[in-house]
Amino acid sequence: MKTYKTIVSIILLSLFTSCHDDFLQDRAYSVITEDNFFQTSSDAITAVNSVYAALRDNGMYQTDLMMLNEYPSETVTTRLNIGSAQSNMDTWQYDVGYFSGIYNASYRLIERANQVIANVPRISMNETLKRRVIAEATFLRALAYFNLVRVFGGVPLKITPTRDFNTLSFPRASASDVYQLIIGDLEGILEAGSLPLTSRYGNADKGRVGKSAVQTLLGKVYLTRAGDPAVAQNSDYQKAIQVLQACVSDGDRTLLSSYKDIFSMTNENNAEIIFDIQYVRIAGLGGNLTAFIATGVTQEFYIIPYYDYPANIDFYNSFEVGDTRRDVTFHDRMKIPVSGTPNVEVYFDPDTDPYVGNWRRADNNSLLSRAIIDIPVPGFRKFIDDNPNARGNAEEPNYIILRYSDVLLMLAEAINEANGPTADAYNYLNMVRRRAFGKPANSAEPSVDYTNLSKEEFRRAVFSERRKELVIEGHSWFDGKRFWDIYTEKVAATSQLADPNINNRPKVPMELNRIRDDKYKLMPFSETQLDLNKELVQNPGYN
């Protein structure tokens, strides 16, 4: 009986299109085998496009990875009741089943990438395009393994396509081995020169992985490994600095002069974006964040039934006067009906009470009753689609995974950790801060620049700027593990005025001694994963 090498990953994705005519267009197949697929360059493109499409899985960035990163941070709380999964994440009470989606979605992407890496080399096609396709799949596989090792630590390493579906048990590799695979893959792409600069892609290929994405991810990998004593190597900070400075030197990406312009739906794939998920207003092919993160009474959009990501009021109040990121980050001004009058402009006033804020009318500054607006904090504005018809996974805004300000902040962090706050470290950090205050990024600005900080003070400044710059972009918990003492201190402090009936902070006080336990640096595997893979061992503290 003939044995077919079934490409399960591509069967799972029958159709996928994008806002660009050529990029990420897929074909439907009922059965994919080595006899009827991987024959042409079109097959290669279809296969790698299915790897990109896996980023849209619910276990990935806009659902499970978002919840993991934002809920446990001091920046976000939840409207949901004590005992809900979201509130448990918010208060660091994790159930073993919460993050199975991340695990499963990551391995679906890895399987698709493995099929491309294994099968495209035998296709007779343009060699430059062939190398690019293989490099794209390799990058995406590295990204999936990087998420896995940050969430779970060591995980099974699967680097060849599935051949035997009767074998479901795979040994758990060490975290060190997972990092070695990721680093080897990313360094190999750079050494081979397989990917063009992002700016070299034509409109039909906007959103594909470029050289700067590989450099940025590799720098983040080195920086993350350096911050974990269990796997760190002495050269990690210096290697992070080297590859991130190469990204800066290439000049392919840059800071936009306006923070607001980064997230404009009319300015997508702009010069600051290094890698993002491409979305379009077609049902099933767009984003889905508006219903979860916008303000619950934003009737200029529509009445939102979820409102799962209110801002923590202490984080909202931490933005300084003149920081333009606050208006871009939060939905704290809107138009709603009041006493029969439509489109009354209201704004959030955090100073009405030291404990909670309230909303005021813009025309007369009068306070509104909770009967009109019962949400004591704003929602977030990033990635909101203002088209009321764009719902049901049909939202336009692309979701950003990597962008240039992250490169600069990582450089500031790595240099400080390796050498203390040097002139270069200050420059990279202050470039981001200047832009936040509407100042030219490359000119010294005494009114906003950081100066004369100790190494620890500089670390705290980097942590603060990363929070304000990158909130809701899927970095908060991942970053927090590198700044563990600062992170846990802030989480505990902002929880101390907790009220289970008000959505402005975590719903219960969180003791610092409890949450500083190293147990919380990794998440648990689900019982299903442990049952399916008998060689998988649960992380400490979750048995």
Side-chain angles (χ1 to χ4, degrees):
M1 183 176 184
K2 191 167 186 177
T3 301
Y4 288 104
K5 299 177 182 177
T6 307
I7 304 170
V8 175
S9 55
I10 299 177
I11 294 174
L12 295 175
L13 178 74
S14 60
L15 289 171
F16 184 72
T17 57
S18 133
C19 50
H20 309 298
D21 290 338
D22 298 318
F23 177 39
L24 296 184
Q25 293 201 6
D26 214 338
R27 299 199 301 267
Y29 294 89
S30 58
V31 177
I32 307 297
T33 75
E34 68 173 352
D35 288 344
N36 68 7
F37 201 70
F38 289 118
Q39 304 297 312
T40 67
S41 61
S42 178
D43 293 342
I45 295 297
T46 295
V48 77
N49 289 349
S50 79
V51 189
Y52 283 97
L55 295 171
R56 299 174 59 252
D57 193 294
N58 282 339
M60 288 292 190
Y61 287 90
Q62 291 206 99
T63 307
D64 289 12
L65 278 172
M66 168 80 86
M67 289 192 294
L68 169 60
N69 271 284
E70 306 304 342
Y71 280 139
S73 78
E74 78 286 2
T75 64
V76 175
T77 184
T78 173
R79 68 167 182 82
L80 298 174
N81 295 326
I82 292 175
S84 70
Q86 288 90 333
S87 290
N88 284 347
M89 294 180 203
D90 195 15
T91 54
W92 295 38
Q93 300 177 82
Y94 307 110
D95 185 86
V96 295
Y98 286 170
F99 306 108
S100 60
I102 296 172
Y103 188 91
N104 295 336
S106 297
Y107 279 105
R108 280 192 289 271
L109 186 152
I110 289 165
E111 175 64 22
R112 297 183 188 190
N114 285 340
Q115 295 286 354
V116 172
I117 295 166
N119 290 294
V120 166
R122 63 182 174 82
I123 298 176
S124 178
M125 58 184 289
N126 177 277
E127 287 298 319
T128 299
L129 178 59
K130 178 187 290 188
R131 289 194 298 272
R132 193 199 81 189
V133 166
I134 295 169
E136 289 175 74
T138 302
F139 169 90
L140 293 167
R141 185 178 72 177
L143 177 62
Y145 271 121
F146 186 43
N147 287 334
L148 285 170
V149 76
R150 288 187 290 178
V151 176
F152 300 106
V155 292
L157 284 180
K158 185 79 168 55
I159 59 173
T160 58
T162 298
R163 297 287 186 257
D164 181 3
F165 293 96
N166 294 315
T167 301
L168 296 175
S169 290
F170 300 93
R172 183 180 181 182
S174 68
S176 294
D177 287 344
V178 178
Y179 274 109
Q180 282 302 115
L181 174 70
I182 297 166
I183 290 169
D185 280 349
L186 296 175
E187 287 184 339
I189 294 171
L190 293 175
E191 290 169 3
S194 305
L195 291 173
L197 297 174
T198 303
S199 58
R200 300 286 176 84
Y201 280 117
N203 287 335
D205 287 314
K206 292 294 185 184
R208 291 195 183 277
V209 177
K211 180 182 177 183
S212 59
V214 183
Q215 293 167 321
T216 303
L217 184 61
L218 181 56
K220 192 179 289 288
V221 170
Y222 278 128
L223 186 61
T224 301
R225 189 172 71 170
D228 183 351
V231 293
Q233 297 190 11
N234 291 335
S235 59
D236 281 343
Y237 284 124
Q238 192 55 48
K239 287 183 176 179
I241 295 167
Q242 181 179 355
V243 71
L244 292 169
Q245 284 182 332
C247 182
V248 171
S249 297
D250 280 348
D252 189 45
R253 303 286 88 187
T254 188
L255 286 182
L256 300 188
S257 60
S258 167
Y259 187 76
K260 181 178 180 179
D261 289 345
I262 302 168
F263 307 98
S264 170
M265 286 185 289
T266 62
N267 193 37
E268 293 187 322
N269 301 305
N270 58 67
E272 185 160 336
I273 305 304
I274 292 175
F275 184 62
D276 60 358
I277 303 174
Q278 303 289 297
Y279 285 124
V280 62
R281 283 197 187 120
I282 297 176
L285 302 178
N288 65 351
L289 283 178
T290 300
F292 294 97
I293 66 176
T295 304
V297 290
T298 312
Q299 296 186 28
E300 59 194 296
F301 297 157
Y302 74 121
I303 299 175
I304 295 169
Y306 305 115
Y307 187 43
D308 283 356
Y309 289 88
N312 187 312
I313 193 168
D314 304 287
F315 177 62
Y316 179 88
N317 287 335
S318 72
F319 283 72
E320 301 161 70
V321 174
D323 190 336
T324 64
R325 293 174 296 195
R326 192 176 82 167
D327 289 343
V328 177
T329 299
F330 302 103
H331 202 279
D332 55 3
R333 183 174 289 266
M334 58 194 174
K335 294 178 180 180
I336 65 169
V338 178
S339 302
T341 303
N343 298 321
V344 174
E345 186 172 4
V346 301
Y347 67 93
F348 180 72
D349 180 0
D351 299 322
T352 55
D353 183 295
Y355 184 47
V356 295
N358 212 331
W359 297 81
R360 293 183 182 271
R361 293 181 61 143
D363 55 358
N364 60 20
N365 292 321
S366 63
L367 284 172
L368 296 171
S369 72
R370 287 287 167 82
I372 296 173
I373 300 183
D374 65 351
I375 304 299
V377 285
F380 288 90
R381 186 185 293 275
K382 288 181 185 178
F383 309 120
I384 296 296
D385 193 321
D386 58 8
N387 185 325
N389 297 316
R391 304 295 173 246
N393 294 318
E395 296 174 11
E396 171 67 23
N398 295 344
Y399 188 77
I400 300 168
I401 297 176
L402 300 170
R403 59 183 175 91
Y404 189 68
S405 63
D406 190 9
V407 173
L408 300 178
L409 291 171
M410 286 193 292
L411 268 168
E413 179 185 342
I415 293 170
N416 182 59
E417 294 297 334
N419 306 306
T422 67
D424 281 344
Y426 275 112
N427 183 52
Y428 293 129
L429 178 60
N430 285 329
M431 286 176 68
V432 176
R433 183 167 168 83
R434 291 168 196 152
R435 193 268 299 274
F437 284 83
K439 309 295 184 181
N442 293 307
S443 300
E445 182 52 59
S447 65
V448 300
D449 281 0
Y450 288 108
T451 58
N452 300 318
L453 302 179
S454 67
K455 183 174 183 179
E456 178 60 22
E457 289 169 337
F458 193 93
R459 288 186 79 240
R460 288 180 174 271
V462 171
F463 180 87
S464 176
E465 293 304 318
R466 288 193 65 83
R467 282 299 198 249
K468 294 171 185 176
E469 182 76 16
L470 300 168
V471 65
I472 299 293
E473 296 179 49
H475 299 274
S476 295
W477 183 70
F478 287 152
D479 283 354
K481 296 202 296 177
R482 300 199 307 274
F483 297 87
W484 193 242
D485 287 353
I486 300 171
Y487 174 43
T488 51
E489 169 195 308
K490 288 186 175 293
V491 170
T494 58
S495 76
Q496 293 311 304
L497 293 176
D499 186 323
N501 302 307
I502 299 178
N503 306 305
N504 65 338
R505 292 182 174 89
K507 296 185 182 300
V508 297
M510 302 164 65
E511 294 300 324
L512 180 59
N513 288 339
R514 176 179 75 84
I515 66 173
R516 192 162 277 178
D517 191 325
D518 281 350
K519 158 187 175 176
Y520 295 112
K521 292 182 179 179
L522 296 176
M523 292 296 114
F525 298 105
S526 74
E527 294 293 345
T528 300
Q529 288 150 3
L530 294 169
D531 289 342
L532 287 173
N533 186 356
K534 299 302 183 183
E535 297 185 65
L536 200 60
V537 179
Q538 184 61 280
N539 280 320
Y542 295 104
N543 292 318

